[in-house]
Amino acid sequence: MEGLKALIITLWCVWVFLILSHSSLGDAKVRHYKFDVEYFFKSVDCVERLVMGINGQFPGPTIRAEVGDTLDIAVTNKLSTDETTIHWHGIRQYGTPWADGTAFVTQCAINSGETFHYRFKVDKAGTFFYHAHNRLQITGGLYGSLIVDLPNGQKEPFHYDDEIILLFSDWWHKSVQEQDVGLTNKYENFRWVWEAQSILINGRGQFGCSLGANFINHSLPVCHFKGDEDCAPYILSVLPNKTYRIRIASVTSLLSLNLAISNHKMVVVEADGYYVQPFTVDNIDIYSGESYSVLLTTDQNPNQNYWISVGHRDANVSTTQALTLLNYNIIPASVLPSSPPPVTPPWDDDKGRKDFAKRFVALKGTPKPPKYSNRRIVLLGMQVLIDDYLRWSMNGISLEFPPTPYLGSMKFNLRNAFDWQDPPENYPQDYDIYSPPEYDNSTLGNMVYKFELNQVVDVILQNANSYVLNATAYHPWHLHGHDFWVLAYGEGKFKDGDEKLFNLENPPMKNTVAVFPYSWTAIRFRADNPGVWLFHCHMEPHFLVGMGVVFAEGVQYVNGIPEQALACGLTAEMLIDKGHDLIRMAPHAEAVENLLDLDYEDVVRVVEIHGMGRDREDDSCCSYV
C-alpha cells in the first residue's frame, strides 16, 4: 500500500509539472501536416513514369514554419512494396534525435500501411528541405521544400520585396529498384546509373526537346507547351524594379549543378541556413544537399524574357541543361528570348568551382569556431572491391547498416547489435591518393565514432583516385544533427602543418560541403547534440554502397524515443519483454485511474515513462526514460 501511495504522489507531481510546462510554451505554434507517401504516374519530363510523391503531389508539399514552432508531421507509408523514412535536411533535431528520419540510424523504417509521427522544433531560420532517407528513394522523387522564417517582427539583414522557392533535382527513367539492383550486384554484373535523363526545376523538366534547341548544337526539337502539362516549365513571374529573394535547394541524387540567369547578377546572402557576407556572381555552383538564398533585382528591359539555366557539372554526362524563363509580366511567357541561354561552365573547371566555394565567409555576428579542437579524424574516401562487390569505404570501412537502429542500440546498451569497436581515425600515410586503390583490406562495417559531449572535433575529408585510373569525383558531404564551420579547402594530401590554412576568424557555417578531386576539406563542429548522427556523401549511388560514417555523443541523455522508432531488430525484442512488465503494472494503473480521474492509457504511459513499480538495476528496459 505504501508503494501505491508513493506512486500516486509521484504521478501527481508529474501531472502538475506537465501542466506548468505546457503553460510556459507561450504562443509557440504546433503546425500539423499529414503526409501520405504513395506511388502515382506523372509525366514530369514529358515521359510518363512512376513517381514517389506525397498526397498526390510531386514534389511534396512545401512546409512553412517560424522559428520556435513545433512541426507535427504524420507520415503514412502507402507504398505497397517499400519501407520509408523522411529526413528533415538541415534541422538539427536538438532533443529529438529519433525524428531525424534516417532508417536504421535513428529509427526503424516505416512499414507499408504504418504511420510515424515526426514531432520536432525548428530553432533556426533558413532555406531547408526534406527527403526520403532509405535506399534510393530520393531518386524516385520523395522530397519537398521546408522554409523556416524568422519570428514575426524580426527582420533579415537584407531587403527584398518578395520571394521565390526553387527546388532542383535530377530524374531517371530507370526505376529506383532497377538502379538499386544494378549498384548492389557483384562487379561482373555491376551497372552504373549513368546520366540522368532530365534536370528538374520544381519537379518539371523536358526530355526529348529543349526550349533553347535553336541555340544549342544538337538535334532536339523546340519544346511547345499549352502551359497545363505536367512538364511545362516553371515560369518565374516577376515585376520590374523589385528585389526577389530566390531560395534554392538541390536534392539531386547524383548531379552537381550550376545556375545562371541571362543578363542578371545574383547576390548570395544565405548558405544552408546561415547568413554570409553578400557577394555578387554571374552563376552559382550547387551540390546535392546544399541550399542558398540569392537576391535578384529585376532591373533589365521588361519587354523581353530571360533564360534561367540549370546545367550539370559532371564528366561524361549528356543530360541537357534545364531551361525556364524569367518573365517580367509585361509580355507573354510564351515568347522565347532572342539570345542563347547561359553556357554552363565545363565539368573540369576545378579552379572556378573552388574559387566560388572560397568566397563564402560568415556574416558578422555568426558564431565563431573554437580556437582549438579536442580531436581530429581524417577520412579517406576509397572506391574498392570487397568480396567482388564495388563499394565506397572511409578509412577502409564501408558502411553497412545493422538491422537494429543505432540510437536504440546505444541508448539501451545492446552490445550485440553492432560492432562497438572504435573505427580507424586515419589511413596509412604512404597511401597514394593519385592512383587506384591499393589499400586492399577494406571491409564492410557498422562501427561508430563516439565523442564526449561538447567535444570539439575536426574532420578532414580526403579525396583520392577512384577504382579506375585517372578517375575521381566531387563529393558533397552532409552532417546530420549539427552545423559545422568550413575551415579550409586544400590541395593534394592533408599533412601536419596545413592547419595554418584554417580560417578561424569568419568561416562559413554549413551542413553540407563539397570535397574536390585530389583535395581535402576541413570542417570543425561541436559534438553538443545527444544522439546518433549520419555523416555521408549526399550522392545517393555513393551512399548506398558505403560512403558514410556514424557519429554519436551523449546518447545516455536522450529521452522520449517513441516505441515505433524501436520496433525492429533487437529493440523490438526488448519492447516485447517490456510489454510483459506493463501487464504486471496494470492493477496499479487502474487504481491511479480511479483516484486521479485520468484515462487508463495515460496512466500506463506515465508509468512507462518513469519506469515505476519495477525492481531493476538499470533503466535499459524502457522506451521512454
Side-chain angles (χ1 to χ4, degrees):
M1 188 65 184
E2 290 298 321
L4 181 58
K5 287 181 179 178
L7 174 64
I8 294 172
I9 293 172
T10 303
L11 289 173
W12 177 264
C13 293
V14 170
W15 178 68
V16 172
F17 171 77
L18 290 174
I19 291 178
L20 293 175
S21 299
H22 180 75
S23 65
S24 68
L25 294 177
D27 296 327
K29 296 179 181 178
V30 178
R31 300 179 186 267
H32 297 275
Y33 290 85
K34 185 178 185 298
F35 278 11
D36 290 342
V37 177
E38 54 197 342
Y39 280 119
F40 49 88
F41 288 100
K42 196 174 180 70
S43 301
V44 302
D45 68 349
C46 306
V47 176
E48 186 178 77
R49 62 149 290 193
L50 203 60
V51 174
M52 190 179 292
I54 296 172
N55 300 345
Q57 299 180 43
F58 170 77
T62 295
I63 294 175
R64 192 118 203 181
E66 289 185 1
V67 172
D69 287 349
T70 295
L71 295 178
D72 189 317
I73 306 166
V75 176
T76 300
N77 182 6
K78 293 191 173 182
L79 306 172
S80 58
T81 58
D82 297 277
E83 300 173 325
T84 194
T85 61
I86 303 290
H87 168 56
W88 318 97
H89 188 108
I91 306 301
R92 292 175 292 188
Q93 301 293 351
Y94 281 118
T96 52
W98 50 265
D100 190 52
T102 44
F104 303 107
V105 177
T106 61
Q107 68 169 103
C108 300
I110 309 169
N111 293 319
S112 179
E114 292 183 350
T115 299
F116 188 92
H117 279 266
Y118 293 96
R119 187 179 177 92
F120 54 90
K121 181 174 287 189
V122 289
D123 62 351
K124 178 167 63 70
T127 303
F128 310 110
F129 55 95
Y130 61 87
H131 60 80
H133 218 295
N134 189 35
R135 308 297 295 186
L136 292 178
Q137 291 180 352
I138 289 180
T139 311
L142 188 47
Y143 44 75
S145 296
L146 195 168
I147 308 299
V148 182
D149 295 306
L150 289 171
N152 190 29
Q154 294 188 23
K155 293 183 178 181
E156 307 278 4
F158 44 82
H159 166 77
Y160 59 97
D161 300 297
D162 205 348
E163 70 173 38
I164 298 168
I165 299 173
L166 293 181
L167 189 65
F168 299 151
S169 53
D170 42 15
W171 193 249
W172 278 260
H173 293 166
K174 286 182 182 178
S175 69
V176 172
Q177 291 78 11
E178 184 178 351
Q179 292 184 57
D180 192 310
V181 171
L183 291 167
T184 55
N185 251 319
K186 284 197 170 184
Y187 188 59
E188 61 267 25
N189 294 314
F190 176 85
R191 298 186 182 183
W192 180 240
V193 298
W194 297 112
E195 63 258 32
Q197 274 62 64
S198 306
I199 298 170
L200 307 184
I201 302 174
N202 285 357
R204 301 178 178 209
Q206 294 81 44
F207 177 78
C209 69
S210 172
L211 291 175
N214 288 336
F215 304 100
I216 300 173
N217 186 23
H218 55 55
S219 59
L220 290 178
V222 177
C223 298
H224 295 285
F225 298 102
K226 295 181 295 183
D228 58 352
E229 298 90 344
D230 289 341
C231 58
Y234 180 87
I235 305 295
L236 274 66
S237 296
V238 295
L239 297 173
N241 301 312
K242 300 290 184 182
T243 297
Y244 289 84
R245 178 184 188 172
I246 304 181
R247 295 182 180 265
I248 308 162
S250 174
V251 66
T252 56
S253 175
L254 182 65
L255 295 181
S256 52
L257 303 175
N258 181 271
L259 166 69
I261 303 175
S262 294
N263 293 53
H264 291 75
K265 302 283 187 180
M266 293 173 283
V267 180
V268 182
V269 294
E270 177 213 348
D272 290 358
Y274 282 93
Y275 303 128
V276 297
Q277 292 185 19
F279 62 96
T280 303
V281 294
D282 295 313
N283 61 79
I284 292 174
D285 288 327
I286 181 167
Y287 299 89
S288 177
E290 290 188 317
S291 63
Y292 296 124
S293 282
V294 301
L295 301 181
L296 176 80
T297 301
T298 53
D299 55 3
Q300 299 299 301
N301 181 1
N303 294 307
Q304 64 184 66
N305 291 322
Y306 299 91
W307 292 114
I308 297 175
S309 166
V310 182
H312 70 81
R313 293 274 252 152
D314 293 84
N316 303 318
V317 174
S318 60
T319 309
T320 303
Q321 68 190 121
L323 294 172
T324 188
L325 299 178
L326 183 72
N327 171 244
Y328 273 65
N329 260 341
I330 302 297
I331 62 172
S334 58
V335 178
L336 296 180
S338 57
S339 57
V343 176
T344 302
W347 72 271
D348 56 355
D349 175 27
D350 286 350
K351 184 178 184 304
R353 292 195 191 208
K354 292 177 181 177
D355 287 347
F356 175 72
K358 292 176 181 178
R359 295 189 69 179
F360 286 86
V361 294
L363 190 67
K364 185 177 181 180
T366 303
K368 291 185 178 183
K371 289 185 177 181
Y372 304 101
S373 63
N374 307 119
R375 189 166 168 188
R376 177 188 293 167
I377 297 173
V378 183
L379 294 174
L380 171 70
M382 297 177 288
Q383 192 179 33
V384 294
L385 279 181
I386 302 177
D387 298 329
D388 293 326
Y389 289 90
L390 190 62
R391 303 277 302 189
W392 281 96
S393 70
M394 305 306 297
N395 292 357
I397 306 296
S398 183
L399 181 60
E400 185 172 65
F401 293 122
T404 304
Y406 288 101
L407 183 61
S409 298
M410 296 191 75
K411 172 64 180 177
F412 302 111
N413 200 31
L414 304 180
R415 305 301 294 187
N416 56 341
F418 66 93
D419 187 349
W420 284 71
Q421 294 183 80
D422 294 327
E425 301 201 359
N426 213 322
Y427 63 94
Q429 292 308 295
D430 60 352
Y431 185 89
D432 183 1
I433 66 170
Y434 298 99
S435 299
E438 297 177 358
Y439 188 26
D440 57 4
N441 61 342
S442 291
T443 184
L444 301 179
N446 51 36
M447 294 179 280
V448 176
Y449 291 92
K450 296 174 279 291
F451 305 126
E452 295 179 9
L453 193 61
N454 290 314
Q455 192 172 35
V456 178
V457 182
D458 282 355
V459 179
I460 312 299
L461 291 162
Q462 178 68 64
N463 209 342
N465 201 89
S466 301
Y467 190 70
V468 179
L469 181 63
N470 298 324
T472 186
Y474 297 82
H475 298 287
W477 275 76
H478 172 59
L479 178 58
H480 293 231
H482 307 77
D483 297 315
F484 51 74
W485 291 275
V486 182
L487 299 185
Y489 301 94
E491 306 295 329
K493 186 188 293 188
F494 181 84
K495 59 187 180 302
D496 287 339
D498 282 339
E499 300 90 344
K500 65 181 180 295
L501 301 175
F502 288 1
N503 173 13
L504 300 179
E505 182 60 31
N506 55 2
M509 294 198 76
K510 300 193 83 226
N511 60 58
T512 304
V513 70
V515 187
F516 299 101
Y518 308 113
S519 301
W520 54 266
T521 298
I523 68 170
R524 179 170 293 178
F525 72 95
R526 188 181 293 278
D528 59 358
N529 192 3
V532 185
W533 310 103
L534 266 179
F535 184 40
H536 64 98
C537 178
H538 214 263
M539 299 165 73
E540 288 289 279
H542 293 180
F543 176 48
L544 177 69
V545 292
M547 199 170 197
V549 296
V550 179
F551 293 160
E553 72 253 18
V555 180
Q556 67 271 28
Y557 301 112
V558 173
N559 297 313
I561 306 175
E563 287 187 359
Q564 192 179 357
L566 306 168
C568 61
L570 297 179
T571 47
E573 297 178 14
M574 180 191 70
L575 289 176
I576 292 173
D577 293 339
K578 188 193 68 173
H580 296 303
D581 291 329
L582 286 179
I583 291 173
R584 186 162 58 85
M585 278 296 302
H588 297 297
E590 185 175 2
V592 175
E593 174 195 14
N594 293 333
L595 288 171
L596 298 183
D597 195 26
L598 297 174
D599 290 340
Y600 179 81
E601 292 181 357
D602 291 339
V603 175
V604 171
R605 178 53 53 88
V606 175
V607 169
E608 178 186 356
I609 290 174
H610 293 275
M612 300 171 193
R614 303 193 51 215
D615 295 322
R616 65 184 192 281
E617 295 180 356
D618 58 49
D619 60 0
S620 62
C621 68
C622 303
S623 60
Y624 289 85
V625 294

